[in-house]
Amino acid sequence: MKTAIITGITGQDGSYLAEFLLNKGYFVVGLKRRSSTICTDRIDSFYDHPNFKLRYYNLNDSGCFYRLLLEYKPQEVYNLAAQSHVKVSFETPEETVNAVAMGPLRQLEAIRSVDPKIKFYQASSSEMFGVNPDAPYNEKSRLMPASPYACAKVFAHNLVNNYRESYGLHASSGILFNHESPRRGETFVTRKITIAAAKIKLGLQDKLYLGNLDAKRDWGFAGDYVEAMWLMLQQKRPDDYVISTGETYSVNDFLEAVFDSANLSIEKHVEIDPSLFRPQEVPYLLGDCTKAKKKLGWEPKIKFKELAAMMYSYDIKRIRELAFEV
Ligand code: NAP
Ligand code: G4F
């Protein structure tokens, strides 16, 4: 039985990837950081699975990671943990950069010392392309990061390449474009919109405050994207891959898709709050995932309209049940 370690298990991607690997017969060690409130909602459904073990870890703790490698002897490590909110990274840049950049450095050092055969996946991001005017972006596009978060992701991305070349590690980076789901964090814009629309529809909220509606993103489904992570580690050679849908839509398009299907008026319920704008914005993201299609045989299945509908129907059902105990 193969063993995989997943950092960031309590996050959106961690939970989907763990389910995917458990279904493939892996033993999965999920790593979570300690927090004062319980935040295991996304992993409660498989918490008791006989092939799943939850352990504490923090990206800032090198010794802890060494011990976990020695104890579980994994064949694969997926580094998904990060302070992943771009706007928050402007507010807590030092904490963000320490975790996002130095976390993978600590992990790669541990892998190289304990067992250089361990395959490593790094969660790189389309935010790394930043303000590059030459979209669509592929693996060779210039990285022009526009936030502390993206700068730190660029560091980690380059480091993975460096450890691959210098020490022959099987270390790959997935340059994933935005991916969403009913498990998306509630402060990211898509989930903020689907939760607010559900609450407004049920009479539990009146206004939704948003920032820049003009930014465009290439939005896919997280459940599809975790398969690509796994496929990267099954290849003979490590490499970098863009994972995207190849379509881009504005925040306003997403808002309209959700509000139209809920039959709600944007004019009546949505207001712009200047405090939600970022010091620097990434205006346009569009990915070209030709390489992943060709080499990994990977394809996105769920696209924009279906994704918006999936997220809204999940939230309206959940909030109705919570509010009215039906
Ligand atoms: P997420 O939902 O925000 O999950 C992040 C995870 O990292 C959570 O489990 C979080 O724990 C954990 N974490 C944060 N700081 C930590 C620390 N110092 N030590 C240990 N764990 C820590 O993010 P996601 O959407 O699943 O994304 C997964 C990864 O892909 C991230 O690295 C993100 O930057 C990257 N990425 C995401 C997207 C996207 O569109 N979703 C696109 C490209 C790249 P808590 O639950 O305690 O907060
Ligand atoms: O949903 P967002 O916060 O996601 P963002 O900044 O694109 O970052 C996400 O995707 C990256 C991949 O490209 C990941 F690396 C990263 O970890 C994260 O998962 O914002 C999307 C857009 C931005 O242009 C933002 O300015 O929505 C705009 N926006 C407008 N109003 C808002 C809001 N974003 C948030 N979070 N909240 C708003 O009220």
Side-chain angles (χ1 to χ4, degrees):
M1 182 187 286
K2 271 192 187 174
T3 297
I5 286 185
I6 304 177
T7 74
I9 191 74
T10 54
Q12 171 187 255
D13 292 6
S15 65
Y16 280 111
L17 180 64
E19 283 172 355
F20 179 86
L21 295 179
L22 288 169
N23 282 335
K24 288 221 167 281
Y26 276 67
F27 186 80
V28 174
V29 183
L31 306 187
K32 91 177 272 304
R33 63 176 167 176
R34 195 264 165 185
S35 54
S36 65
T37 50
I38 294 170
C39 60
T40 53
D41 303 16
R42 296 183 179 110
I43 61 170
D44 284 345
S45 62
F46 55 83
Y47 182 81
D48 290 329
H49 193 292
N51 292 343
F52 180 73
K53 184 80 189 162
L54 187 63
R55 295 291 299 267
Y56 281 119
Y57 166 65
N58 195 300
L59 284 165
N60 304 326
D61 197 323
S62 307
C64 172
F65 198 74
Y66 269 90
R67 287 196 303 280
L68 288 162
L69 291 186
L70 289 168
E71 185 175 348
Y72 290 103
K73 302 182 175 41
Q75 285 75 41
E76 298 172 9
V77 167
Y78 295 85
N79 179 37
L80 308 185
Q83 188 305 89
S84 73
H85 202 286
V86 175
K87 181 159 189 295
V88 172
S89 81
F90 287 99
E91 283 149 45
T92 60
E94 228 176 287
E95 194 271 334
T96 302
V97 173
N98 193 10
V100 173
M102 294 301 289
L105 171 65
R106 296 177 183 115
Q107 293 166 11
L108 286 164
E109 273 297 291
I111 286 175
R112 159 168 114 81
S113 308
V114 171
D115 178 5
K117 288 190 299 307
I118 295 171
K119 295 179 178 174
F120 180 77
Y121 173 84
Q122 166 60 15
S124 285
S125 165
S126 52
E127 274 290 308
M128 299 189 307
F129 298 117
V131 291
N132 179 337
D134 304 324
Y137 308 117
N138 62 29
E139 295 76 7
K140 295 197 182 333
S141 300
R142 206 151 43 116
L143 305 178
M144 300 176 67
S147 64
Y149 166 82
C151 291
K153 283 285 184 189
V154 170
F155 174 89
H157 184 76
N158 287 333
L159 195 74
V160 167
N161 186 41
N162 175 242
Y163 272 57
R164 187 156 74 205
E165 297 302 324
S166 306
Y167 307 117
L169 295 191
H170 194 297
S172 295
S173 292
I175 308 171
L176 271 53
F177 282 65
N178 297 51
H179 44 282
E180 320 292 309
S181 74
R183 298 183 200 169
R184 183 56 143 153
E186 299 185 4
T187 60
F188 295 96
V189 78
T190 53
R191 192 76 198 292
K192 186 172 166 182
I193 290 170
T194 58
I195 291 174
K199 286 189 173 168
I200 293 168
K201 189 74 187 169
L202 295 170
L204 301 168
Q205 182 173 328
D206 184 38
K207 295 282 183 207
L208 164 61
Y209 295 94
L210 291 171
N212 180 11
L213 301 186
D214 297 328
K216 289 191 155 185
R217 293 289 183 270
D218 179 330
W219 273 301
F221 172 53
D224 289 346
Y225 284 30
V226 296
E227 184 191 10
M229 299 176 186
W230 174 77
L231 283 167
M232 287 176 217
L233 297 206
Q234 309 318 306
Q235 304 307 303
K236 198 160 173 218
R237 291 182 208 295
D239 210 340
D240 301 333
Y241 295 91
V242 159
I243 300 298
S244 64
T245 67
E247 293 175 7
T248 190
Y249 294 90
S250 67
V251 174
N252 198 53
D253 293 332
F254 192 89
L255 180 66
E256 279 179 1
V258 174
F259 271 54
D260 284 355
S261 73
N263 199 21
L264 290 171
S265 157
I266 292 177
E267 289 66 36
K268 192 169 161 206
H269 295 292
V270 178
E271 288 187 15
I272 300 301
D273 177 351
S275 75
L276 295 169
F277 282 69
R278 294 158 187 200
Q280 192 180 5
E281 175 66 280
V282 172
Y284 185 91
L285 288 177
L286 174 65
D288 169 5
C289 67
T290 307
K291 179 174 168 183
K293 283 183 176 165
K294 222 157 108 187
K295 295 208 167 169
L296 304 178
W298 178 87
E299 289 267 359
K301 294 182 190 79
I302 293 183
K303 298 256 179 118
F304 183 74
K305 280 265 160 65
E306 202 183 334
L307 180 63
M310 177 208 289
M311 292 173 69
Y312 176 66
S313 21
Y314 171 82
D315 278 322
I316 189 125
K317 182 169 179 291
R318 181 184 64 94
I319 292 165
R320 186 183 283 124
E321 283 169 5
L322 275 175
F324 307 112
E325 293 178 17
V326 289

